Coordinates of all heavy atoms in Angstrom, one line a residue:
K1 N 0.8 -1.2 0.0 CA 0.0 0.0 0.0 C 0.9 1.3 0.0 O 0.6 2.2 -0.7 CB -0.9 0.0 1.2 CG -2.0 -1.0 1.1 CD -2.9 -1.0 2.3 CE -4.0 -2.1 2.2 NZ -4.8 -2.3 3.4
V2 N 1.9 1.2 0.8 CA 2.8 2.4 0.8 C 3.5 2.6 -0.5 O 3.5 3.7 -1.0 CB 3.9 2.2 1.9 CG1 5.0 3.3 1.8 CG2 3.3 2.3 3.3
A3 N 4.0 1.5 -1.1 CA 4.7 1.6 -2.4 C 3.8 2.2 -3.5 O 4.1 3.1 -4.2 CB 5.2 0.3 -2.8
V4 N 2.5 1.7 -3.5 CA 1.6 2.2 -4.5 C 1.2 3.6 -4.3 O 1.2 4.5 -5.2 CB 0.3 1.3 -4.5 CG1 -0.8 1.9 -5.4 CG2 0.6 -0.1 -5.1
A5 N 1.0 4.0 -3.0 CA 0.7 5.4 -2.7 C 1.8 6.3 -3.0 O 1.6 7.4 -3.6 CB 0.4 5.5 -1.2
V6 N 3.1 5.9 -2.8 CA 4.2 6.7 -3.1 C 4.3 6.9 -4.6 O 4.5 8.0 -5.1 CB 5.5 6.1 -2.5 CG1 6.8 6.7 -3.2 CG2 5.6 6.3 -1.0
A7 N 4.2 5.8 -5.3 CA 4.4 5.9 -6.8 C 3.3 6.7 -7.4 O 3.5 7.6 -8.3 CB 4.3 4.5 -7.4
R8 N 2.0 6.5 -7.0 CA 0.9 7.3 -7.6 C 0.9 8.7 -7.3 O 0.2 9.5 -8.0 CB -0.4 6.6 -7.3 CG -0.9 6.8 -5.9 CD -2.1 6.0 -5.6 NE -3.2 6.2 -6.5 CZ -4.4 6.3 -6.2 NH1 -4.8 6.1 -5.0 NH2 -5.3 6.6 -7.1
T9 N 1.6 9.2 -6.3 CA 1.7 10.6 -6.0 C 3.0 11.2 -6.4 O 3.3 12.3 -6.0 CB 1.4 10.8 -4.5 OG1 2.4 10.1 -3.7 CG2 0.0 10.4 -4.1
T10 N 3.8 10.5 -7.2 CA 5.1 11.1 -7.7 C 4.8 11.8 -9.0 O 4.2 11.3 -9.9 CB 6.1 9.9 -7.9 OG1 6.3 9.2 -6.7 CG2 7.4 10.4 -8.4
A11 N 5.3 13.0 -9.0 CA 5.2 13.9 -10.2 C 5.7 13.1 -11.5 O 6.7 12.6 -11.5 CB 5.9 15.2 -10.0
G12 N 4.8 13.2 -12.5 CA 5.2 12.6 -13.8 C 4.6 11.2 -14.0 O 4.6 10.7 -15.1
V13 N 4.2 10.5 -12.9 CA 3.6 9.2 -13.1 C 2.2 9.3 -13.6 O 1.4 9.9 -13.0 CB 3.7 8.4 -11.7 CG1 2.9 7.1 -11.8 CG2 5.1 8.2 -11.3
R14 N 2.0 8.7 -14.8 CA 0.6 8.7 -15.4 C -0.3 7.7 -14.7 O -1.5 7.9 -14.5 CB 0.7 8.4 -16.9 CG 1.1 9.5 -17.8 CD 0.9 9.1 -19.2 NE 1.5 7.8 -19.6 CZ 0.7 6.7 -19.8 NH1 -0.5 6.7 -19.7 NH2 1.3 5.6 -20.2
K15 N 0.3 6.5 -14.5 CA -0.5 5.4 -13.8 C 0.5 4.5 -13.2 O 1.7 4.4 -13.6 CB -1.4 4.7 -14.8 CG -0.7 3.9 -15.9 CD -1.7 3.1 -16.7 CE -1.0 2.4 -17.9 NZ -2.0 1.7 -18.7
V16 N 0.0 3.6 -12.3 CA 0.9 2.7 -11.6 C 0.3 1.3 -11.9 O -0.9 1.0 -11.8 CB 0.8 2.9 -10.0 CG1 1.6 1.8 -9.3 CG2 1.4 4.3 -9.7
I17 N 1.2 0.4 -12.3 CA 0.9 -1.0 -12.5 C 1.5 -1.8 -11.4 O 2.7 -1.9 -11.3 CB 1.3 -1.5 -13.9 CG1 0.6 -0.7 -15.0 CG2 1.0 -3.0 -14.1 CD1 1.3 0.5 -15.4
N18 N 0.7 -2.4 -10.5 CA 1.1 -3.1 -9.3 C 1.4 -4.6 -9.7 O 0.4 -5.3 -9.9 CB 0.1 -2.9 -8.2 CG 0.4 -3.6 -7.0 OD1 1.5 -4.3 -6.9 ND2 -0.4 -3.5 -6.0
L19 N 2.6 -4.9 -9.7 CA 3.0 -6.3 -10.0 C 3.7 -6.9 -8.7 O 4.4 -7.9 -8.8 CB 4.0 -6.4 -11.2 CG 3.5 -5.9 -12.5 CD1 4.5 -6.0 -13.6 CD2 2.2 -6.6 -12.9
L20 N 3.5 -6.3 -7.6 CA 4.1 -6.7 -6.3 C 3.5 -8.1 -5.9 O 2.3 -8.3 -6.0 CB 3.9 -5.7 -5.2 CG 4.5 -4.3 -5.5 CD1 3.9 -3.3 -4.5 CD2 6.0 -4.4 -5.3
E21 N 4.4 -8.9 -5.3 CA 4.0 -10.1 -4.7 C 3.8 -9.9 -3.2 O 4.7 -9.5 -2.5 CB 5.0 -11.2 -4.9 CG 5.1 -11.8 -6.3 CD 6.1 -12.9 -6.4 OE1 5.7 -14.1 -6.0 OE2 7.2 -12.7 -6.8
V22 N 2.6 -10.0 -2.7 CA 2.3 -9.7 -1.3 C 2.3 -11.0 -0.5 O 1.6 -12.0 -0.9 CB 0.9 -9.0 -1.2 CG1 0.6 -8.8 0.3 CG2 0.9 -7.7 -2.0
L23 N 3.2 -11.0 0.5 CA 3.4 -12.2 1.3 C 3.0 -11.9 2.7 O 3.0 -10.7 3.1 CB 4.9 -12.6 1.3 CG 5.5 -13.0 -0.1 CD1 7.0 -13.3 0.1 CD2 4.8 -14.2 -0.7
P24 N 2.7 -12.9 3.5 CA 2.4 -12.6 5.0 C 3.6 -12.0 5.7 O 4.8 -12.3 5.3 CB 2.1 -14.0 5.5 CG 1.8 -14.9 4.3 CD 2.5 -14.3 3.2
D25 N 3.3 -11.3 6.7 CA 4.4 -10.6 7.5 C 5.5 -11.6 7.9 O 6.7 -11.3 7.9 CB 3.9 -9.9 8.7 CG 3.0 -8.7 8.4 OD1 3.1 -8.2 7.3 OD2 2.2 -8.3 9.3
E26 N 5.1 -12.8 8.4 CA 6.1 -13.8 8.9 C 7.0 -14.2 7.7 O 8.2 -14.4 8.0 CB 5.4 -15.1 9.4 CG 4.2 -14.9 10.3 CD 2.9 -14.5 9.7 OE1 2.4 -15.1 8.8 OE2 2.4 -13.4 10.1
D27 N 6.5 -14.3 6.5 CA 7.4 -14.7 5.4 C 8.4 -13.6 5.1 O 9.5 -13.8 4.8 CB 6.5 -15.0 4.2 CG 5.8 -16.3 4.3 OD1 6.0 -17.1 5.3 OD2 4.9 -16.6 3.4
I28 N 7.9 -12.3 5.1 CA 8.8 -11.2 4.8 C 9.9 -11.1 5.9 O 11.0 -10.9 5.6 CB 8.0 -9.9 4.8 CG1 7.0 -9.9 3.6 CG2 8.9 -8.7 4.7 CD1 7.7 -9.9 2.2

């Protein structure tokens, strides 16, 4: 969520394509 929010509010970014693999906290 943080990464997407940062990217989408960065000047010049037209759109964000989220290809992140979301894992449980324990795995990270």
Side-chain angles (χ1 to χ4, degrees):
K1 288 178 182 172
V2 168
V4 168
V6 165
R8 70 188 305 217
T9 58
T10 299
V13 173
R14 282 189 312 103
K15 68 177 175 178
V16 176
I17 296 89
N18 180 357
L19 303 178
L20 296 166
E21 287 184 79
V22 178
L23 301 175
D25 290 341
E26 309 79 55
D27 290 353
I28 295 294

